[in-house]
Amino acid sequence: AVISLLQPSPEAVALFDEIILLGDGGDVIFAGPTSGASAHFDQLGFKQPDAMDDADFLLAVASADREYLYRPEGVPVSDEAPSSESLGMEFEKTAEHAKIMDRLESEWDQDWSAGSTVKVSDYFNKKYQNSRRASAVLNFKRALTLWKRDRPTWIANQIIRNINVGLSTGFLFLQTEEPRDFLGALFQVNMVSIMLCASCFVNTLLDDRGVFYKHHNSGFYSAFSYVLGQVMALVPSVVIDASILGSLLYWMVGFRASAGAFIIYFLYFVTFNMLMLQLFNIFVAMAPNKSLLTAACTFTIFFNTLFCGFIITPDVIPVYWKWFYWALPSSWVYRGLVINQFTERDLISTGFAMDGVPFS
């Protein structure tokens, strides 16, 4: 790729393998590896001050300010700095210029004069140079790096929040024996808290949407690779929620003391958390602004809370609203959690059914 920069920073210059430096007269005064540019002008009598970085030194040599840097050997001060045209002629004597001319004068592998009949390399026909897998891994590493960067604040706040919610709800239903309290604990934390926590991510996702559009339009990666990488990067955060909040609630309330029941409970917690995060991510992709995004998330939480099966039980839902109950993910998760706690057999061994009837 060829990129034109005006007064680039030292960090930006260091990223390039090769540079082409134009003088104030438009002459090419250097073209070659970035690391050898300063040494080339040093041989011509230009001395780089200790306090000047390579980028500023090259810019000064390419401008009329080069006379302040021209200190040839044996001459203390000289105002007769070479012109841009002279520097261009000096560059034509170098080995780098000879390499460029050899490449230009050598025969091309393809006859471009044939026009459309020329077979263009597949490299130029690919929209994304990296595979989907490689792009997903890069997006995963980027998102994980951002998550680790915010560790002192975000992760600490996440842990403290989970401990507070887990302890407050756990003490509220501490070792209860009332079935209604079991249902309330499952509903309050595993349903409402998960949806509210997931909605906290939407503003961050909305801010990151502009970065995705910029990268996607530049051909960095596809939407599939971006979403897959983001989903994988959310796993550590979701596991922290399930490990702290889910575990505190499970053992303090006094749910079934069974390894199989706890594992299923844990998987439900992680799965529902990931599901709500991705559902809100869909809203982020579709919403034109933050106001509509907030409204969509609010309505989603409202209907999932109202029709999950706790506030309005399935037996009192009108027939014409039954489809809505079965369409909501929260109803399936809540029924699964309840069945997992109020049956003596694990869901896996019973084929996710109770008395032969699935989720009844």
Side-chain angles (χ1 to χ4, degrees), residues 165 169 173 181-197 241-242 244-250 253 255 262 264-274 276 304-305 308 329-330 333-334 337-338 341:
V165 176
T169 308
F173 300 102
D181 291 340
F182 283 112
L183 298 176
L186 290 173
F187 168 77
Q188 181 173 339
V189 174
N190 295 284
M191 307 302 296
V192 179
S193 296
I194 288 178
M195 289 188 287
L196 291 177
C197 292
D241 289 340
I244 299 177
L245 177 57
S247 299
L248 283 175
L249 176 72
Y250 192 92
V253 174
F255 290 125
F262 177 74
I264 292 178
Y265 166 87
F266 186 88
L267 293 176
Y268 267 119
F269 196 106
V270 172
T271 303
F272 186 59
N273 202 339
M274 293 291 293
M276 295 307 300
N304 275 276
T305 302
C308 73
S330 60
V333 174
Y334 184 67
L337 289 170
V338 172
Q341 296 304 318

Side-chain angles (χ1 to χ4, degrees), residues 22 43 48 90 123 159 170 204 247 297 337:
L22 301 180
Q43 295 175 356
Q48 180 178 355
E90 290 294 333
Y123 178 86
I159 294 175
T204 303
S247 299
C297 294
L337 289 170

Side-chain angles (χ1 to χ4, degrees), residues 90-226:
E90 290 294 333
F91 173 69
E92 292 178 359
K93 303 175 183 179
T94 63
E96 291 296 335
H97 181 269
K99 292 179 182 178
I100 295 174
M101 296 306 298
D102 289 341
R103 289 198 298 266
L104 292 176
E105 294 173 359
S106 61
E107 287 192 17
W108 289 26
D109 296 335
Q110 297 178 353
D111 183 10
W112 293 91
S113 62
S116 59
T117 60
V118 177
K119 180 181 179 181
V120 181
S121 172
D122 293 337
Y123 178 86
F124 298 102
N125 291 327
K126 293 173 63 177
K127 185 176 182 180
Y128 309 109
Q129 297 304 320
N130 291 325
S131 62
R132 287 188 176 182
R133 179 180 179 181
S135 298
V137 171
L138 291 174
N139 276 284
F140 166 72
K141 291 181 178 180
R142 172 182 175 271
L144 196 62
T145 300
L146 295 176
W147 183 72
K148 291 180 179 178
R149 184 193 65 184
D150 298 332
R151 178 168 49 192
T153 54
W154 172 255
I155 300 179
N157 292 337
Q158 182 183 9
I159 294 175
I160 294 173
R161 180 198 66 202
N162 288 328
I163 293 176
N164 288 336
V165 176
L167 290 177
S168 60
T169 308
F171 281 117
L172 181 64
F173 300 102
L174 185 63
Q175 297 299 312
T176 182
E177 296 181 357
E178 293 293 332
R180 186 69 180 179
D181 291 340
F182 283 112
L183 298 176
L186 290 173
F187 168 77
Q188 181 173 339
V189 174
N190 295 284
M191 307 302 296
V192 179
S193 296
I194 288 178
M195 289 188 287
L196 291 177
C197 292
S199 65
C200 297
F201 283 88
V202 295
N203 290 330
T204 303
L205 297 173
L206 186 63
D207 294 336
D208 199 49
R209 187 172 67 177
V211 178
F212 163 73
Y213 286 154
K214 182 178 180 180
H215 290 176
H216 182 266
N217 294 337
S218 299
F220 285 9
Y221 45 74
S222 63
F224 174 81
S225 300
Y226 172 78

